[in-house]
Amino acid sequence: MSIDQGARIVIAGGGIAGLSLALALKQALGEEFAVVLADPALATAPRTDNRAYAVAAGGRAMLETLGVWEAVAATAQPMTEMIVSDSRTKDAVRPVFLTFDGEVEPGQAFAHMVENAALIAGLKSACERVGVELRPTGVRRFAAEDAGVDIVFSDGARAEAALLVAADGARSKLRERAGIGWVGWSYGQSGIVATIGHERPHHGRAVEHFLPSGPFAMLPLADGGRLGHRSSIVWTERTQNVPALLSLDSADLLAEIETRFGLELGEIALESAVSAHPLGFGVARRFVDRRLALLGDAAHLIHPIAGQGLNLGLKDVAALAETIVDAARLGLDPGSPDVLEDYEKARRFDTVAMGAMTDGLNRLFSNDATPLRLVRDLGLGLVDRLPGLKRFFIREAAGLAGAPPRLLRGEAL
Ligand SMILES: Cc1cc2nc3c(=O)[nH]c(=O)nc-3n(C[C@H](O)[C@H](O)[C@H](O)COP(=O)(O)OP(=O)(O)OC[C@H]3O[C@@H](n4cnc5c(N)ncnc54)[C@H](O)[C@@H]3O)c2cc1C
């Protein structure tokens, strides 16, 4: 077994959360501070995940500060408007209950649609440039002691670190291994994701139809594809219906999509493979343990109804990077209980609040009971008429409410 001396922080998981943290730490702390990121998926480029994310203004400011935004800017689509409607699947007219104009500040869109593959590629090459050690292996096990954490990778190599960050996704094995409990449930729903080409432009408008089986979101992507314009769909469907839908031939599947997508954008076509992701809710009982911090989906899993899952993870990155960098600059141990507690305090409340909000929204909207329809339509109509409340929601969703960490404000660490 080889032993790597001097690894200070080891991050398990090279999704967007893990890669962003590695980059933020290495950029701020430089050569003296070793940052290792391990993920078996690093060996399988390019990634094939067809998801696209609504990255909120705070996350975008962070990616800009980290020098990654320029790699995705050409294909990032600003969201200029968001429309919410409540209807049954076959309703020809879908009443609009809520509209948001998409600016947090004048000239600053509250979110940009960014494609997963472009963002992962941009983050990975930025990590390589600044000298993050990228290891195409998993973290198999670890043993934490007061003095440090001993990490064993799946190829048998070992490292000593001050801190291990578990960014290994919602089914985090590291969280399990640390004995950290998980409060969660499945929604019995899956998110069907695909890129759709269409004839007419979307003008940067995101549309979310609340249908009885769950929300159907049409999210604007940068122009391209065979028909000139593209959108990403997230179609929430009861999981039991998904295998039959995915086994349809492409013409029949497209017809099902068209029933939900509507005819406003003209002819539509499938521009990508269609994938389905089971949806659930979960929050870790603790975000930290001895020399361990949970990051991103390893700490929390929420329904994509408000497009906030990754945004929560980016807020974790901003908070954890700031806490570690400030401690390291003062010569403090970045894996000490005080530092980890600061991180947990910074993130716990926001995470639970957003989790409860998305869970409530999904329960309220994923059904067809008439009294519930009346209540929710009344609620949406009310929000629509109160500009102060709308501004609050927009700033909240953008990650700019309260006193955000420096990276979310676009300031370097
Ligand atoms: C249908 C759908 C639509 C969504 N839309 C949005 C949206 O619009 N906006 C938004 O903000 N969020 C959205 N989300 C949520 C978003 O996809 C997730 O929150 C985000 O991808 C989580 O990123 P992550 O880096 O925390 O974890 P992941 O992307 O899950 O990455 C975890 C990584 O850990 C690696 N790994 C696993 N085990 C180990 C190990 N032992 N050692 C090392 N590495 C390991 C894996 O290979 C993987 O690369 C959506 C989710 C779904 C399902």
Side-chain angles (χ1 to χ4, degrees), residues 11 14 16 35 75 77 82 167 175 180 212 231 234 240 292 408:
I11 300 167
I16 295 164
V35 178
T75 54
Q77 168 66 47
M82 198 163 91
R175 182 185 69 222
I180 299 179
S231 290
V234 181
Q240 70 213 46
L292 178 75
L408 294 182

Side-chain angles (χ1 to χ4, degrees), residues 76-326:
Q77 168 66 47
M79 256 191 208
T80 51
E81 197 183 2
M82 198 163 91
I83 289 183
V84 177
S85 87
D86 189 7
S87 50
R88 295 184 173 92
T89 312
K90 293 201 166 32
D91 286 353
V93 177
R94 292 173 163 167
V96 168
F97 283 100
L98 188 58
T99 55
F100 285 107
D101 293 332
E103 291 190 345
V104 189
E105 303 291 345
Q108 192 191 3
F110 74 83
H112 281 74
M113 286 303 297
V114 179
E115 290 170 68
N116 180 69
L119 189 49
I120 292 269
L123 282 166
K124 206 172 135 188
S125 38
C127 281
E128 277 161 354
R129 271 199 307 278
V130 295
V132 172
E133 185 188 332
L134 295 173
R135 278 178 172 265
T137 56
V139 166
R140 186 188 294 154
R141 58 174 195 273
F142 63 95
E145 286 171 16
D146 287 344
V149 49
D150 181 28
I151 294 155
V152 180
F153 298 98
S154 15
D155 59 3
R158 293 175 61 185
E160 281 287 334
L163 177 67
L164 172 63
V165 177
D168 53 342
R171 276 177 280 184
S172 168
K173 282 273 180 302
L174 301 192
R175 182 185 69 222
E176 206 179 295
R177 200 167 265 280
I180 299 179
W182 179 252
V183 182
W185 49 82
S186 157
Y187 286 119
Q189 296 170 319
S190 293
I192 300 175
V193 177
T195 304
I196 302 296
H198 43 86
E199 227 178 349
R200 292 201 274 274
H202 46 53
H203 300 295
R205 180 184 302 147
V207 179
E208 191 150 23
H209 295 306
F210 287 119
L211 301 175
S213 59
F216 182 89
M218 297 151 61
L219 305 160
L221 296 180
D223 282 349
R226 283 166 294 162
L227 295 172
H229 309 285
R230 301 180 310 143
S231 290
S232 172
I233 57 162
V234 181
W235 165 11
T236 306
E237 195 42 76
R238 292 179 193 99
T239 299
Q240 70 213 46
N241 300 337
V242 169
L245 285 166
L246 294 192
S247 64
L248 292 174
D249 65 36
S250 48
D252 288 345
L253 183 58
L254 196 62
E256 286 291 336
I257 292 172
E258 197 167 53
T259 313
R260 293 159 176 83
F261 198 90
L263 301 170
E264 261 176 49
L265 299 180
E267 188 194 336
I268 66 167
L270 269 175
E271 292 280 347
S272 73
V274 181
S275 59
H277 309 260
L279 303 179
F281 171 88
V283 185
R285 285 203 180 270
R286 282 172 288 133
F287 287 2
V288 298
D289 197 45
R290 188 153 60 161
R291 300 214 170 260
L292 178 75
L294 307 185
L295 186 84
D297 276 18
H300 42 70
L301 176 68
I302 62 171
H303 197 287
I305 193 164
Q308 288 297 318
L310 175 66
N311 286 303
L312 275 183
L314 294 178
K315 291 193 215 172
D316 296 348
V317 170
L320 186 57
E322 184 167 310
T323 327
I324 292 174
V325 167
D326 289 352

